[in-house]
Amino acid sequence: IYTLSLHDALPIWSAQRAEARGRRRIMSNSANSYQALRNTAAAYRRGDAILRITGTDRRTLGMRLLARSIEYAAVNTAVDSLLLDDDGSAIGTALAIQRDTDIVMMVDAPRTWIDIVRREARTLDVELNIENQIALAVEGPLSWKAAQAVLEDRPVEDVLLGDAVTCQIGGAEVVVARAGTIAEYGYVMIGDEGRIRDAVSPVLAELGDEADPQALRRARIESNYPVLPEQVRGADVLEAGIGWCMTLSREDGFIGSRVRDLPDPSRRVVAAYFDGACPEEGTSVLDTGERVGVVLVPAADCGQKSLALLLLDNPYGVPGLELESGTGTCRTVSRPTIAPVSWAQAIGAEQ
């Protein structure tokens, strides 16, 4: 038997999804926002909604819903995972935080995903709630400053990658998880929106405020974080190169488990830099006149060199090749395509 309080909360899902798509405070342009993500920090609202699962069978339901196994994940840790449909197609992502008494998921997926949740929860002892809270992500080399403002006296450098800690702001509970999507330092803060923004706004005003969606998308393309649904249009999850967001070796049942039966990819997604403007999605990629693939996901330039994800036939889906597309040439590269500033900068160290 399960308790389901999703119906009345679904308008929250719609409102949060609209706000996440529209953004209320966007930086002046994508180039400035990109520079903030790569050199200081910028914030965005993560996920379309926050789903909280409680009850004795919460872990069983979490295991079914997530493509990445949480069987051996410790309490107070955060796991990034794909969300799959019954056919094994990627329909979204989730950041799942396991705690002593609940699992909190920041879900980036269409509202129809709730139909899968309802079906899987039907025979389980769980309670599901869509929370009227915010999951504010801050990413960039100096994002730790925003996290420190929420953590207050707790040293931010003690929060390791994948950790999730609970603290208080004005007597209200806030969860801070160290997790990111652009290969820089990143944190997600979950709780009351007003309290979180009051704590981090002075820091963000100095560092970069709220991220432009196109700049964030480019940074994710550079770092190999899934860009959905574009990255799986015409490609399965293995061809798309996002298998790291799943646990293919697991033997338990989970939604979309038929991905374990997919054949070895005959095509692969690879990033490429272009000389000149980036061709449109669907533009053919050629090798001395022979079609070997297509432009799958163009990235916004954000003041940088043109970049896109290509879907290429084997054996072309590797870095280091020079190919033609549109009116110019491109060179395939490994990811991350940039050298993240965070890799050479210590958390908590003033620059």
Side-chain angles (χ1 to χ4, degrees):
I1 298 173
Y2 75 101
T3 302
L4 182 63
S5 55
L6 296 181
H7 179 74
D8 293 338
L10 285 179
I12 297 173
W13 189 292
S14 299
Q16 290 185 353
R17 187 174 181 86
E19 194 273 339
R21 297 294 179 260
R23 313 295 177 188
R24 292 178 303 170
R25 297 197 306 273
I26 301 300
M27 301 183 70
S28 58
N29 58 59
S30 60
N32 287 348
S33 186
Y34 177 84
Q35 289 299 324
L37 286 166
R38 287 295 177 212
N39 294 292
T40 54
Y44 63 95
R45 190 166 187 160
R46 180 154 183 179
D48 298 320
I50 301 170
L51 175 64
R52 188 180 302 273
I53 307 173
T54 55
T56 57
D57 292 331
R58 62 186 180 278
R59 190 175 178 88
T60 299
L61 180 59
M63 290 280 288
R64 292 182 186 177
L65 296 176
L66 299 171
R68 196 171 187 179
S69 177
I70 57 172
E71 181 177 5
Y72 301 110
V75 173
N76 295 324
T77 58
V79 175
D80 258 310
S81 174
L82 286 177
L83 300 175
L84 306 177
D85 63 15
D86 291 328
D87 294 329
S89 299
I91 58 173
T93 58
L95 180 68
I97 298 175
Q98 291 196 95
R99 304 198 301 166
D100 287 324
T101 59
D102 59 21
I103 297 176
V104 181
M105 293 186 186
M106 280 122 284
V107 179
D108 191 352
R111 205 174 76 173
T112 53
W113 182 71
I114 283 298
D115 294 335
I116 295 176
V117 177
R118 283 195 176 102
R119 183 191 69 200
E120 295 302 314
R122 202 171 304 280
T123 60
L124 300 177
D125 179 16
V126 292
E127 181 175 343
L128 310 173
N129 288 283
I130 296 176
E131 301 292 302
N132 190 15
Q133 295 181 330
I134 190 175
L136 185 69
V138 185
E139 299 192 43
L142 298 181
S143 59
W144 58 267
K145 290 188 173 184
Q148 185 66 83
V150 174
L151 293 168
E152 294 183 336
D153 294 335
R154 179 168 185 161
V156 66
E157 56 267 30
D158 290 349
V159 182
L160 305 180
L161 183 62
D163 281 355
V165 301
T166 301
C167 58
Q168 300 281 324
I169 299 181
E173 181 181 276
V174 175
V175 178
V176 178
R178 186 175 161 197
T181 65
I182 64 169
E184 304 286 357
Y185 295 136
Y187 299 85
V188 181
M189 292 152 276
I190 306 103
D192 177 75
E193 179 171 6
R195 295 180 187 274
I196 291 175
R197 290 195 181 276
D198 285 347
V200 303
S201 289
V203 177
L204 293 178
E206 173 190 349
L207 298 179
D209 206 7
E210 206 143 331
D212 170 74
Q214 290 302 315
L216 179 62
R217 173 185 164 108
R218 180 188 172 102
R220 286 175 169 176
I221 288 173
E222 292 172 337
S223 65
N224 199 28
Y225 192 83
V227 179
L228 301 176
E230 295 86 350
Q231 196 168 340
V232 291
R233 286 177 182 163
D236 63 40
V237 291
L238 299 185
E239 292 172 333
I242 51 179
W244 66 269
C245 278
M246 304 181 291
T247 306
L248 294 174
S249 61
R250 61 193 288 191
E251 297 180 354
D252 60 310
F254 62 96
I255 303 304
S257 60
R258 63 180 58 187
V259 298
R260 294 181 297 204
D261 300 324
L262 287 173
D264 291 338
S266 60
R267 304 172 299 169
R268 296 183 185 275
V269 168
V270 64
Y273 281 113
F274 286 79
D275 295 329
C278 183
E280 296 180 354
E281 176 186 347
T283 303
S284 294
V285 179
L286 309 174
D287 176 28
T288 59
E290 178 184 355
R291 187 179 188 274
V292 296
V294 297
V295 175
L296 187 63
V297 186
D301 61 47
C302 299
Q304 308 299 305
K305 190 172 182 179
S306 297
L307 173 70
L309 296 180
L310 311 180
L311 178 60
L312 301 178
D313 299 335
N314 287 343
Y316 291 92
V318 294
L321 299 181
E322 188 170 290
L323 303 168
E324 304 93 42
S325 185
T327 59
T329 60
C330 63
R331 176 169 291 275
T332 59
V333 292
S334 59
R335 288 189 282 172
T337 64
I338 45 81
V341 174
S342 299
W343 292 7
Q345 186 168 295
I347 293 175
E350 293 290 346
Q351 301 299 310

